[in-house]
Amino acid sequence: MTTELPRLADVFRGLSRGRHICIDDGESYWALKENVALFHDLFEALGFKLIAHQKNFFYFEGDERLSDASARLVVFVFILVEWLGDAGVLVEEELLRREFSIQELPHFATDRYRSYMVQVGVTDHDQFLLLVKTIERLGIAQLITESRLRFRTPIYRFLDLCLKADGQTQTSGST
Amino acid sequence: METSPAAFFRFAAEHHELLVDLFRRRSFTEGELHEVIRRHERPTHANTVHVAEQLQSLGVIEPAPEATSRLEITRPVASFLEFLLREHRLSSANVIQGYLADLSELSTELEHAIRMKHDHGVERALQEVADEVDQIRQDSHANRVGITDEALKLKTNREHRPARLRYETVNRLWDRYIVPLRDLLDTSKAMDAALDRLLLIVQEGQTVYEGDSSMAREFASLRARLIRLRRDAGADHVESVKEISPLHESLRRDTLLVRGASTALERLGREGVTALDVFDLKICSWRREGLLRDAAVEAFLRNISGYEPAPPGPLPEMPTSELPATISDADLHERLSAAGIIPDVLGWLTRQFPTVSLSEILRARASVGARMPHARRSDPRMSDDVGVSR
């Protein structure tokens, strides 16, 4: 019986607003993890597609291909990955292990990075803070304080895009 | 000139920091040599020029082959220091393969000497085989230590080298040392085959020289060396793989991540935001529209429960003066009958009903036409556009 699904209201409220639910979300995550097939069937009947990522988090797949908001998120993460790579650390490990000060984030630190942000409509620090808030709302990161954040496992959804970008380069390079 | 080991080790004990410093530099000019000697000078040491001469006479340094003005540490001393400092040079699989080829030739030689009962030949071949086996074991161990050291350097990354550069290093280790050695050990099992053949020859030798205790001891010793080599080479390889494999994978993945991100950003800079269209990132943003919250629905239901409609109030009467003036059909018919021939119907209607609106006059004019469908413009009784007759 779908009405017996635990935390159904919380889970639906979060997922339908674009949130990615991972182990940090506690009961909502475990409710999904332990009843994934039932949740999947219920949400499918309601017209939503529940995705269970291999890195253990859940989200609803949206309808739009790449909205303006999504483009901002993608560019935010790409800059972060390149910056960490240049710093000589293991990107994946560092992203999930470290707490970042919002001030230290590189997105407006160089002209090149700033131009990328401007291209997707993030032109100043206030808009950048709004983007950070969006990232938190979607469950990609968690704000520890007003000025510090740490990334959660759903960041893998964006790392997958980095690998895809590299795959496309290799493919186009080989053809 | 032969170097006296005692003189060499006395000098090395006295000047070990100088030796390590020169070893790290690999190549240096005479001026640099003197400067390094002075840096490590102690009151008990001889003067700089004498120490420089000792370094040459003991075979520690020699002129570099490419330029007479430069000097370098000799290979044997460099190897010895590499061993002491655990800075092992890695032996490629080709080197190991070369050893195995040598081992094969020596095995044939040993086998031939045993069958010929050529004691001196057997002794010489046994010694050479033992040396070769020890050399392979030594190189295998050096590779394990070298790979472990390199992996540690890459992991700690004190120089903050980007993942891409570290991946190049680890990939070289992987491709040049791990994979070919795995082929030798696991895939083609070339080493197993060489050792198996040697063990059979040793077994044959032990049978032939059963009564010769000295020879029997040599054969037993070689047999033990072969077993130890097989065990150690396998373990060295497994440990090297364990050490390098996770690092290889994490650096490979990191390199792909960074390369992918950089490529996408570069395209964004060149082509604009359309370059991002290839990324299929569909984030759900469903919003509830036109739905009431549970509390709102409950409040609404509470308000309507027990509702009884009140009787409708009386319709208000509109004052006569405000009623729109109209022309009744009966009145119109009566006036038409009394009027006879009307030359100008519209004008007549306007005069007859001065208080009604123009639209009502026109409606009445249309009504007159409908009443007289047979009337024609040519009818003498008609005057304006529509004729009217009695």
Side-chain angles (χ1 to χ4, degrees), chain A residues 56-151:
Chain A
N56 286 319
F57 61 89
F58 301 90
Y59 61 93
F60 274 170
E61 190 173 74
D63 297 325
E64 279 187 86
R65 269 189 67 79
L66 187 80
S67 66
D68 291 347
S70 302
R72 284 184 206 113
L73 296 172
V74 168
V75 172
F76 175 93
V77 175
F78 283 177
I79 290 176
L80 194 62
V81 167
E82 190 187 73
W83 174 64
L84 288 173
D86 289 344
V89 295
L90 284 176
V91 174
E92 206 172 322
E93 188 183 297
E94 195 79 352
L95 269 177
L96 290 165
R97 187 186 59 79
R98 179 168 148 192
E99 278 183 19
F100 293 86
S101 153
I102 292 175
Q103 286 297 325
E104 75 174 309
L105 293 176
H107 300 79
F108 283 90
T110 68
D111 284 347
R112 185 164 69 91
Y113 286 164
R114 191 179 301 113
S115 75
Y116 296 147
M117 295 305 289
V118 168
Q119 283 202 62
V120 289
V122 182
T123 55
D124 57 33
H125 188 65
D126 288 346
Q127 285 179 322
F128 183 68
L129 289 181
L130 281 177
L131 178 59
V132 171
K133 293 273 185 198
T134 304
I135 287 167
E136 187 195 29
R137 181 172 55 77
L138 296 177
I140 309 299
Q142 180 193 352
L143 278 170
I144 310 290
T145 65
E146 279 292 301
S147 59
R148 299 191 72 78
L149 82 162
R150 70 170 189 84
F151 290 95

Side-chain angles (χ1 to χ4, degrees), chain A residues 12 16 18 60 62 64-66 73 78 82 85 88 90-92 116 119 157 159 162-166 169-170, chain B residues 157 161-162 166 253-254 256-257 259-265 268 272-273 276-278 281-284 286:
Chain A
F12 179 74
S16 64
F60 274 170
E64 279 187 86
R65 269 189 67 79
L66 187 80
L73 296 172
F78 283 177
E82 190 187 73
L90 284 176
V91 174
E92 206 172 322
Y116 296 147
Q119 283 202 62
R157 201 174 166 196
L159 298 186
C162 292
L163 294 177
K164 185 181 177 188
D166 182 65
T169 311
Q170 300 305 305
Chain B
N157 193 27
R161 292 166 69 205
R166 286 188 289 153
R253 195 175 150 80
D254 248 45
L256 299 183
L257 283 175
R259 198 167 63 194
S262 295
T263 306
L265 289 173
L268 171 66
V273 285
L276 299 173
D277 289 347
V278 292
L281 184 74
K282 297 174 184 171
I283 289 180
C284 184
W286 182 73

